[in-house]
Amino acid sequence: MDLVPALEEPLKKVLGPATAKVMAEHLGLHSVGDLLHHYPRRYEERGQLTHLADLPMDEHVTVVAQVADARLHTFASAKAPRGKGQRLEVTITDGSGRLQLVFFGHGVHKPHKELLPGTRAMFAGKVSLFNRRLQLAHPAYELLRGDAEETVETWAGALIPLYPATAKLESWKIGKAIQTVLPSAQEAVDPLPESLREGRGLVPLPEALLKIHRPHTKADIADAHARLKWDEAFVLQVALARRRHADAQLPAVPRKPAPDGLLSAFDDRLPFTLTDGQQKVSKEIFDDLATDHPMHRLLQGEVGSGKTLVALRAMLAVVDVGGQAAMLAPTEVLAQQHHRSIVEMMGELAEGGMLGGSEQGTKVTLLTGSMGTAARRQAMLDLVTGEAGIVIGTHALIEDKVQFHDLGLVVVDEQHRFGVEQRDALRGKGKQPPHLLVMTATPIPRTVAMTVFGDLETSVLDQLPAGRSPIASHVVPAADKPHFLARAWERVREEVENGHQAYVVCPRIGDEEDDPKKARKSAEDEAEKRPPLAVLDIADQLAKGPLSGLRVEVLHGRMHPDDKDAVMRRFAAGETHVLVATTVIEVGVNVPNATAMVIMDADRFGVSQLHQLRGRVGRGSAAGLCLLVSEMPEASPARQRLNAVAATLDGFELSRIDLEQRREGDVLGQAQSGARTSLRVLAVIEDEEIIAEARQEATAVVEADPELTGLPGLRTALDALLDEEREQYLEKG
């Protein structure tokens, strides 16, 4: 494949080693092509020309004026103690008023030579007040010679690109470097097939690059954006379409449940009927399992919509025909919880091969890192002999020593917590690629699903099963209205007196190992300089104060697994009234009797995380209550975020808000490979239509020419997108 020599050129050859080093280290830019794709964040207008008589304070202005006089002063300062400091003061006039300009230090030499009385020039800078007089400090200026009218118009109207910069390299230096390499843009090979580009009226790539870095008008910027968004969406969707195409070629063992086997025995003992949503999604999954290439499906479901049940039925369908199913959970607490609830749901069907077990039953095995040696050895034996049809575990399942008899289905719970390598390692344990079902309770806007999980088919469970109670959510402004917080603890007592239980969630554990540097992340945290509230402190305060007399226990990630399990068991059994915990309870913890949750420092959690946490209450027949405690002032963005969470229980709505507030870079970053997001101009939420159309176009292109032999430009762009890490990521999925 012929490479694009001009764009492959390393920056150190073009810009010199020092600048190239900073660009590589701080901005991840290595070649001319990288730099051309480092787009401006926004554009500054030099400002419409302003008369000196009506200059606004604190604004960037551009004025055309004549130098009236210029004086050079020397003064003593800390930097120049012997009276060697220099300050140049220039007075300019345009007939309507006068204005002072100042230049300091080494910056005085050039203007001192050029700004002689009588010279006309354009000056651009920010208006400030000094000694009650308006001034511009260190303005940019351009001398006017010859045809002044035309120069004034073009210079003042120019759009100055501002680039994402670093402390080591200012935006204007990046701009200069880009001007140096801009001629190479002519050689950029266009990744879009010509028919697609012309059909959609998009400008060619070289033109788009020129327009984004050196626009003459706002229309230029719009043209460039429209074109570059398509590039990003299309190249990414082609990468995903090629994945789907390659997956469709892989062999898999079709798994069709037996008509009167384990699955029907399980369905017969369910005390309720499946919701329409569960039936529809189950059908989609069973259809996939019956084909001879591996299923790759994403199951998104609202908190409590019954995803585990749907996944369990898929696992039973595979066990029915002699295969094994593995469920991968992100934490031990969650793996144990899944194991408990699956064994409960299956009853005697989970006791295959045991006395009193069902004829059709199978064995459900748990495998986690903290199990004792004997238990582990037994679990691994159950897997390799095929005795255990279903295994639930943490990363321990992925270890080399773990072997399966016939792995047919992998269910990954809470996908966003697993690295690609982990999923890949588990998939490699089947004799042929197993079917894959990825579950998430974090609702993902459709566009993110198309972008991040674009290689998976998506099923959505958005119907809550009958009997789930509504959750009332309120923001408790602890700083403005301390009596609201006192009332919150009263509400917790009332719930306990009515026979229920409560969670109190804190952002931090509070033992010495917590690193205070890590504790303060956001600017809002910086502003208030208070470390986040901690589980151990709050539990202590509550037990001695507002909740004295109630049984209060703590749960956090650094406890020994056995202790965690014991705490969860006591809470599930109703022996503990109030559980003070970190976000270890965020996913999957199921205690129907817990009706209230108080989230301390709620502003320190993300929107989706708050929605997840809230889903732990209201799981039984009694109504749920979620109180979001925050000390942030009413007008702060943090409080608006909390108000949004309190206002709706719709996870998809909240995930949109979440995404608009964070950058989608985070979302893509964690689900891609952790490499920086490949999206520069594409905004996942706003550009929904472009992504959807690009997906269709990409699928068509790949079906017609899977190897892209006729589209060398597209292949070059794919290689650039799929640098090493991402290539592996897409390989593994």
Side-chain angles (χ1 to χ4, degrees), residues 235-440:
V235 174
L236 184 60
Q237 291 301 338
V238 167
L240 294 165
R242 288 185 71 186
R243 268 282 328 257
R244 291 196 299 274
H245 185 269
D247 284 340
Q249 316 304 313
L250 289 174
V253 180
R255 314 272 178 173
K256 284 190 178 131
D260 44 6
L262 182 57
L263 179 62
S264 25
F266 173 76
D267 285 349
D268 291 344
R269 53 171 311 208
L270 277 180
F272 50 81
T273 51
L274 298 178
T275 64
D276 296 348
Q278 287 171 324
Q279 287 178 344
K280 176 178 134 283
V281 169
S282 291
K283 181 181 183 313
E284 292 170 347
I285 292 171
F286 290 150
D287 289 350
D288 281 359
L289 289 175
T291 60
D292 52 11
H293 56 85
M295 162 170 84
H296 284 106
R297 192 166 279 283
L298 171 69
L299 171 58
Q300 314 190 38
E302 268 295 5
V303 182
S305 56
K307 291 182 301 301
T308 314
L309 176 62
V310 169
L312 175 57
R313 293 184 71 242
M315 287 157 69
L316 295 174
V318 170
V319 176
D320 242 357
V321 286
Q324 287 170 297
M327 183 182 229
L328 192 55
T331 63
E332 296 214 348
V333 168
L334 200 53
Q336 289 162 340
Q337 170 104 25
H338 275 315
H339 182 253
R340 265 202 300 277
S341 61
I342 283 175
V343 169
E344 271 167 34
M345 281 200 265
M346 288 175 63
E348 74 275 12
L349 296 175
E351 296 165 3
M354 292 184 234
L355 276 175
S358 157
E359 285 290 290
Q360 295 156 310
T362 186
K363 197 166 177 184
V364 180
T365 295
L366 176 69
L367 182 61
T368 65
S370 64
M371 285 165 72
T373 320
R376 268 182 83 97
R377 199 171 287 137
Q378 182 57 52
M380 285 165 65
L381 191 66
D382 290 346
L383 292 186
V384 75
T385 57
E387 183 85 6
I390 293 179
V391 58
I392 293 146
T394 52
H395 312 134
L397 281 178
I398 296 164
E399 290 171 10
D400 296 343
K401 297 193 286 286
V402 178
Q403 293 187 344
F404 290 83
H405 176 64
D406 175 16
L407 181 61
L409 170 66
V410 174
V411 178
V412 180
D413 190 24
E414 288 308 323
Q415 134 68 29
H416 61 284
R417 303 189 166 209
F418 281 100
V420 175
E421 292 71 27
Q422 295 165 316
R423 263 174 30 195
D424 184 46
L426 192 51
R427 273 170 62 180
K429 292 186 180 290
K431 295 189 176 64
Q432 281 196 322
H435 298 281
L436 175 70
L437 179 65
V438 170
M439 299 199 296
T440 174

Side-chain angles (χ1 to χ4, degrees), residues 672-724:
Q672 297 284 24
S673 54
R676 61 203 173 92
T677 164
S678 54
L679 300 192
R680 297 191 180 88
V681 286
L682 193 68
V684 172
I685 287 280
E686 295 153 34
D687 299 322
E688 188 160 342
E689 283 164 30
I690 295 181
I691 293 171
E693 289 171 17
R695 181 173 169 129
Q696 286 178 340
E697 295 272 11
T699 307
V701 165
V702 170
E703 273 172 12
D705 178 6
E707 290 304 305
L708 308 178
T709 34
L711 298 165
L714 179 53
R715 283 172 53 178
T716 306
L718 265 183
D719 291 346
L721 168 75
L722 308 179
D723 49 34
E724 298 309 302

Side-chain angles (χ1 to χ4, degrees), residues 374-572:
R376 268 182 83 97
R377 199 171 287 137
Q378 182 57 52
M380 285 165 65
L381 191 66
D382 290 346
L383 292 186
V384 75
T385 57
E387 183 85 6
I390 293 179
V391 58
I392 293 146
T394 52
H395 312 134
L397 281 178
I398 296 164
E399 290 171 10
D400 296 343
K401 297 193 286 286
V402 178
Q403 293 187 344
F404 290 83
H405 176 64
D406 175 16
L407 181 61
L409 170 66
V410 174
V411 178
V412 180
D413 190 24
E414 288 308 323
Q415 134 68 29
H416 61 284
R417 303 189 166 209
F418 281 100
V420 175
E421 292 71 27
Q422 295 165 316
R423 263 174 30 195
D424 184 46
L426 192 51
R427 273 170 62 180
K429 292 186 180 290
K431 295 189 176 64
Q432 281 196 322
H435 298 281
L436 175 70
L437 179 65
V438 170
M439 299 199 296
T440 174
T442 309
I444 300 166
R446 171 171 162 256
T447 42
V448 180
M450 283 191 293
T451 321
V452 178
F453 301 111
D455 55 320
L456 301 172
E457 300 300 325
T458 308
S459 297
V460 178
L461 267 181
D462 45 14
Q463 210 182 351
L464 290 188
R468 285 302 299 262
S469 309
I471 304 170
S473 308
H474 304 284
V475 178
V476 177
D480 317 348
K481 302 182 178 163
H483 59 285
F484 275 39
L485 184 56
R487 175 75 189 112
W489 301 126
E490 283 171 24
R491 283 291 290 113
V492 170
R493 282 196 100 91
E494 287 163 16
E495 289 299 313
V496 173
E497 281 157 14
N498 290 332
H500 297 302
Q501 293 158 278
Y503 296 100
V504 177
V505 181
C506 303
R508 192 167 73 99
I509 297 174
D511 51 15
E512 318 60 45
E513 290 180 57
D514 276 0
D515 178 349
K517 286 206 280 294
K518 281 187 196 151
R520 297 198 198 118
K521 287 222 178 87
S522 72
E524 288 170 346
D525 290 359
E526 279 302 321
E528 57 169 346
K529 287 287 184 275
R530 168 171 78 62
L533 294 172
V535 166
L536 301 176
D537 307 342
I538 292 287
D540 197 39
Q541 289 166 22
L542 291 176
K544 290 177 180 158
L547 301 183
S548 62
L550 301 185
R551 284 191 296 280
V552 178
E553 289 212 60
V554 298
L555 178 71
H556 58 74
R558 278 209 286 271
M559 288 165 60
H560 186 279
D562 292 349
D563 297 342
K564 274 195 268 196
D565 199 40
V567 169
M568 269 322 293
R569 278 177 195 275
R570 286 196 292 274
F571 190 64

